[in-house]
Amino acid sequence: MRLRLRRIKWPLLLSFMAVLLLTAGLVSRAAAQSPSLFAAPIDYSLLNPALVQSPPALLRLPQQLAFQYSLPFDIYYGTGNISYTRRGEVQGYTVGVQADPYNCANALACTDLYADAVAIDGLSPSIQEQYAMFFTPGGLNGYRTAGHNAYFHTLTNGQSVTILPWTEAGGGMGYEKGIWDECDERGICYRYVVGLKGGSPEALIATLESIPVNKTGKTAGWDQLVEPTDPSASF
């Protein structure tokens, strides 16, 4: 055994050890870049019945709230209703998700997730125009942000979503947002926004992936929605 040890080529051994250390470093770095996510289901039984029975737009509501850190509650609740313009016309819907829906009343301080749909037309600003500060060089100077720029992401169902970082101003934590435009079979188009308070891009995308979609593209009741894992379903 001693003779074999003496015959080892030390340069070769050192090179091998260096490769092992480098590999371990890459694995650790990959683990750091892919943090574990925690998720809790969202209960929408408290939604206004009018929104559930006759939604003005296809309901694009996440079924789970994902976060990079452990969540303090086992379940979250969605509350909301049809939204209207100042002139009293149907605009879309707005839904807030909270752990304590009875005491929160959709206040931003305790809303962990929100989902909005707003009707748009040919005169409406584009997503880049509406959120110009996120796309303008230096537009977020002076803000504490999520640490990444705006970018585009394609969900597993093929829907392209604009991801905007959260910003913090005035002591309030902002929302990591996923935004997209979608038209129904009537030709009516809506701008959908899903915001996750202080969330990471990975957590927001996991939340977006849990949105049920409608296979036919028709405005449907809550019980007619199918899970997005269905390969035949699409936005």
Side-chain angles (χ1 to χ4, degrees):
M1 182 66 73
R2 290 181 179 176
L3 290 176
R4 291 180 180 175
L5 284 175
R6 289 175 182 173
R7 291 177 181 176
I8 291 178
K9 295 182 179 179
W10 290 107
L12 180 60
L13 178 59
L14 292 175
S15 298
F16 179 69
M17 293 177 64
V19 171
L20 285 179
L21 291 174
L22 178 60
T23 302
L26 291 176
V27 171
S28 299
R29 185 178 302 175
Q33 292 176 347
S34 301
S36 298
L37 296 178
F38 300 85
I42 301 173
D43 183 338
Y44 288 107
S45 61
L46 299 179
L47 287 181
N48 189 299
L51 175 58
V52 177
Q53 296 167 7
S54 300
L58 293 169
L59 295 176
R60 301 308 192 199
L61 304 179
Q63 298 301 287
Q64 69 174 23
L65 187 155
F67 211 70
Q68 186 173 337
Y69 307 101
S70 59
L71 293 168
F73 300 96
D74 295 329
I75 188 170
Y76 288 76
Y77 297 88
T79 59
N81 201 351
I82 296 171
S83 62
Y84 298 87
T85 67
R86 293 181 179 180
R87 294 182 296 180
E89 301 170 341
V90 173
Q91 182 180 45
Y93 65 76
T94 181
V95 172
V97 175
Q98 317 89 19
D100 185 1
Y102 298 102
N103 294 318
C104 182
N106 281 336
L108 288 177
C110 56
T111 298
D112 299 285
L113 176 78
Y114 75 88
D116 290 341
V118 176
I120 58 174
D121 57 26
L123 300 178
S124 301
S126 66
I127 293 175
Q128 288 84 349
E129 291 171 337
Q130 182 176 352
Y131 298 92
M133 63 180 291
F134 291 91
F135 296 91
T136 303
L140 297 179
N141 289 348
Y143 292 89
R144 178 171 171 258
T145 74
H148 67 85
N149 297 322
Y151 68 94
F152 303 102
H153 176 80
T154 301
L155 300 176
T156 55
N157 59 14
Q159 177 65 50
S160 177
V161 177
T162 300
I163 305 295
L164 300 183
W166 58 259
T167 60
E168 182 176 336
M173 180 69 74
Y175 292 83
E176 188 86 5
K177 293 179 284 291
I179 308 170
W180 69 97
D181 293 341
E182 180 182 350
C183 303
D184 61 23
E185 66 171 5
R186 302 168 297 175
I188 301 177
C189 301
Y190 291 86
R191 178 157 298 158
Y192 290 87
V193 180
V194 173
L196 180 62
K197 180 177 287 183
S200 65
E202 295 82 5
L204 174 63
I205 290 170
T207 300
L208 293 173
E209 291 286 5
S210 74
I211 297 176
V213 294
N214 184 274
K215 290 193 297 184
T216 64
K218 297 179 180 179
T219 301
W222 187 250
D223 59 344
Q224 295 176 280
L225 297 174
V226 297
E227 292 300 321
T229 51
D230 185 340
S232 64
S234 62
F235 275 12

